[in-house]
Amino acid sequence: AQKVTQAQTEISVVEKEDVTLDCVYETRDTTYYLFWYKQPPSGELVFLIRRNSFDEQNEISGRYSWNFQKSTSSFNFTITASQVVDSAVYFCALSDAYVTYKYIFGTGTRLKVLA
Amino acid sequence: EAQVTQNPRYLITVTGKKLTVTCSQNMNHEYMSWYRQDPGLGLRQIYYSMNVEVTDKGDVPEGYKVSRKEKRNFPLILESPSPNQTSLYFCASSPGTGGDTQYFGPGTRLTVL
């Protein structure tokens, strides 16, 4: 069965600190996709990144970076020099490519960035 | 503008009164899906559709029905709502199946009294 675990329920940091949000997944499929979404206080779900299981290169987008490690089944998300606007709930998600067509979300991590 | 729309955005109803939440996308996406979001549980997939007339159960389908008669629309039907269906509901669509990026609607907050 597929599963996504975000063990950090809530994290508080002071502005300009770096913060890493953890995501651990389980799947038996060899081809799958991982995602991160952001849900700001306004409630909408904003897509951040999609990564396929064959691409283990880390990705950087501005202050955001993602570390994908198949060996530990993790897809962690780091925000560098956090800002108050980063305060949100962040969800990690998993989807297999050919088998169930389902999407499995983690329970989310609430990030509070304090000024 | 490419978007997923949901209606209504807010709904308060009573136990047993049938209701439909509509979802529509204008991106010609094949895949559409419904989720519910509850505190501490994240998003859980209710139903999904891979194309017109093709639907399948997600992880929490009990108490819900869906239909996909047209590619752009994917309504969620609660035939006899109960208080445990009080939740925030999201509709999403993606170009295809197989792990494509999903784009979400704005959400529908449903309260069942």
Side-chain angles (χ1 to χ4, degrees):
Chain A
Q2 296 177 317
K3 187 178 180 182
V4 175
T5 301
Q6 295 181 257
Q8 303 153 309
T9 304
E10 186 168 311
I11 302 174
S12 291
V13 299
V14 177
E15 210 171 16
K16 297 184 184 176
E17 284 186 1
D18 299 347
V19 59
T20 295
L21 309 183
D22 297 333
C23 173
V24 174
Y25 63 92
E26 294 176 29
T27 180
R28 286 190 231 175
D29 302 312
T30 56
T31 304
Y32 53 89
Y33 293 83
L34 296 163
F35 305 83
W36 277 94
Y37 284 86
K38 174 182 180 180
Q39 186 177 44
S42 50
E44 73 271 22
L45 285 157
V46 179
F47 165 74
L48 296 177
I49 190 170
R50 170 180 180 256
R51 173 69 68 199
N52 76 55
S53 54
F54 297 109
D55 184 359
E56 286 194 73
Q57 282 193 352
N58 291 335
E59 177 142 347
I60 299 174
S61 177
R63 296 183 297 108
Y64 294 173
S65 63
W66 291 269
N67 182 277
F68 176 30
Q69 292 196 342
K70 286 178 77 170
S71 60
T72 56
S73 297
S74 65
F75 186 42
N76 297 337
F77 172 32
T78 297
I79 302 175
T80 303
S82 59
Q83 300 176 1
V84 172
V85 293
D86 296 325
S87 297
V89 180
Y90 291 87
F91 291 100
C92 182
L94 165 71
S95 177
D96 68 66
Y98 303 113
V99 181
T100 70
Y101 307 113
K102 289 184 178 179
Y103 288 78
I104 307 297
F105 280 75
T107 52
T109 296
R110 181 178 298 278
L111 174 64
K112 292 185 177 179
V113 181
L114 309 172
Chain B
E1 179 191 354
Q3 60 183 350
V4 179
T5 57
Q6 295 178 227
N7 282 293
R9 295 289 312 280
Y10 302 90
L11 179 60
I12 301 175
T13 189
V14 296
T15 298
K17 186 176 180 182
K18 181 179 178 179
L19 66 92
T20 299
V21 184
T22 64
C23 173
S24 183
Q25 50 93 5
N26 62 2
M27 297 171 278
N28 201 36
H29 284 174
E30 289 187 352
Y31 187 97
M32 297 186 73
S33 182
W34 277 102
Y35 297 85
R36 60 178 289 173
Q37 182 180 359
D38 302 291
L41 297 177
L43 281 85
R44 293 179 292 168
Q45 196 168 29
I46 303 171
Y47 270 95
Y48 60 93
S49 169
M50 291 168 283
N51 215 322
V52 175
E53 303 291 3
V54 182
T55 63
D56 207 349
K57 297 177 181 178
D59 288 330
V60 288
E62 295 77 20
Y64 304 95
K65 284 176 59 176
V66 293
S67 68
R68 186 95 181 270
K69 293 184 171 59
E70 305 166 280
K71 199 170 187 178
R72 64 181 294 131
N73 296 324
F74 190 46
L76 179 69
I77 303 158
L78 285 72
E79 296 257 353
S80 183
S82 62
N84 64 12
Q85 293 178 298
T86 292
S87 188
L88 178 59
Y89 291 87
F90 286 98
C91 180
S93 73
S94 61
T97 55
D100 278 354
T101 299
Q102 290 188 93
Y103 298 92
F104 284 83
T108 295
R109 186 165 292 282
L110 172 66
T111 301
V112 183
L113 302 174

